[in-house]
Amino acid sequence: MTEKPLDGRVAFITGTSRGIGKALALAFADAGAAVVSTGKTMDEHERLPGTVTQTTEEIRERGGDSIALQLDVRDESNVESAIEETVDEFGGLDLVINNAGAIQFGGIDEISAKRFDLLMDVNARGAYVTTRAALPYLRESDHAHVVMNSPPTTMESSPGKAAYALSKYGMTFLARSLADELKSDEIAVNSVWPASAIETEATRHFNLGQPEDWRTPQIVVDAMLELVTRDPTECTGNEFYDEDLLRETGVSEFSDYAVVEGTDPGPTSAQLFDSGYGQNE
């Protein structure tokens, strides 16, 4: 049997009901990892397709190994229990992908303090709590990676998006800091962000661009797979755009990732910060 790049690894991925999170879960399982599929609810959304249970079922139908767990990243005890259940089921933990997130655009008059707290709690704090709960088990792994789905910290002005931007930049700063803090533990911590718009339910909901401006989630998947197969002692503390990460591997043609055939969306087709809005899947 041909060895797969993630054989023997256990991946804990947040937000796998649909979109990028689901695509990551399926791809990691196809690459050999046992996948923990997580989301805030196990129930079907009245307007959106997909559940974490359905993602796990698809993985199993493809011959992979997966469990589905209800996870609210705002609830520390829930997070700790989910991590413990992961280790009880699979015997360890190697990869933590902080993909789940909350999104809301609006100026200071539109975003209430309560909504601001939600964005911070789900995005920055949620990534912190999840990573912290996983650390005891990541320290036992010989191939530990933590990945934040968040943008490089350019810290340029984000009028109309300040609250959301702050919560996402917080994830990246956390990754940068933890990379140094956990280097002696040989745990890699990096962030990855789409260089151009990704087709998700959130993309459509917020009317962000047109289909010819979008790429499929597969480009993020391919970049993430490349990242988590790298030596964690040699690849940590980076803030990657998906396209740049793939270019390092020799990829130069990206038209296959276009949602609309014959188009070639790139970083100039959408503002770079706007390109990752779909990470609340």
Side-chain angles (χ1 to χ4, degrees):
M1 182 180 295
T2 303
E3 185 177 353
K4 297 179 179 180
L6 295 181
D7 273 345
R9 304 301 176 194
V10 178
F12 187 93
I13 306 174
T14 64
T16 62
S17 297
R18 60 192 68 87
I20 293 172
K22 179 175 182 177
L24 287 170
L26 295 174
F28 277 41
D30 288 346
V35 171
V36 183
S37 173
T38 74
K40 189 173 67 172
T41 177
M42 309 289 277
D43 302 324
E44 290 190 22
H45 193 282
E46 60 182 13
R47 296 186 305 274
L48 300 175
T51 67
V52 295
T53 303
Q54 290 171 4
T55 298
T56 282
E57 289 172 350
E58 287 188 40
I59 288 172
R60 291 174 177 173
E61 288 170 0
R62 294 157 72 137
D65 198 358
S66 177
I67 59 172
L69 299 178
Q70 186 168 356
L71 179 73
D72 184 343
V73 295
R74 298 170 296 176
D75 185 337
E76 185 177 9
S77 62
N78 181 196
V79 173
E80 291 172 348
S81 296
I83 294 292
E84 290 172 3
E85 189 167 346
T86 296
V87 175
D88 287 344
E89 178 71 22
F90 295 119
L93 179 58
D94 304 284
L95 313 173
V96 173
I97 311 299
N98 289 295
N99 170 73
I103 181 171
Q104 184 71 53
F105 293 156
I108 192 167
D109 291 327
E110 301 167 284
I111 302 296
S112 66
K114 183 177 180 180
R115 178 59 60 173
F116 177 90
D117 289 343
L118 174 67
L119 292 169
M120 294 300 292
D121 285 350
V122 174
N123 297 338
R125 184 180 182 276
Y128 183 93
V129 168
T130 302
T131 304
R132 188 174 188 274
L135 278 181
Y137 309 106
L138 292 173
R139 287 189 171 108
E140 296 176 1
S141 170
D142 63 357
H143 190 84
H145 279 269
V146 175
V147 185
M148 308 291 180
N149 213 331
S150 59
T153 49
T154 60
M155 298 306 289
E156 295 178 0
S157 172
S158 295
K161 303 180 182 72
Y164 175 66
L166 183 61
S167 69
K168 297 300 286 187
Y169 281 139
M171 295 173 67
T172 307
F173 186 78
L174 176 62
R176 183 192 296 182
S177 301
L178 291 183
D180 286 338
E181 188 173 330
L182 302 176
K183 197 166 187 177
S184 62
D185 293 312
E186 299 186 353
I187 299 173
V189 190
N190 297 283
S191 64
V192 177
W193 193 246
S196 57
I198 302 299
E199 181 188 28
T200 68
E201 295 296 332
T203 310
R204 299 185 186 91
H205 177 76
F206 285 96
N207 297 314
L208 296 168
Q210 301 298 318
E212 58 266 25
D213 299 321
W214 302 340
R215 284 175 172 165
T216 69
Q218 190 63 43
I219 189 170
V220 181
V221 168
D222 289 350
M224 287 272 195
L225 280 171
E226 165 61 27
L227 177 58
V228 300
T229 55
R230 292 184 175 185
D231 185 338
T233 66
E234 297 180 358
C235 183
T236 188
N238 301 288
E239 301 171 16
F240 291 111
Y241 283 117
D242 55 0
E243 182 175 311
D244 293 340
L245 187 53
L246 291 175
R247 286 187 187 280
E248 290 183 11
T249 71
V251 176
S252 59
E253 175 58 55
F254 295 90
S255 60
D256 288 346
Y257 296 114
V259 170
V260 177
E261 187 176 356
T263 63
D264 188 14
T268 58
S269 67
Q271 292 182 16
L272 291 179
F273 186 78
D274 287 349
S275 65
Y277 35 70
Q279 268 52 265
N280 64 329
E281 308 294 351

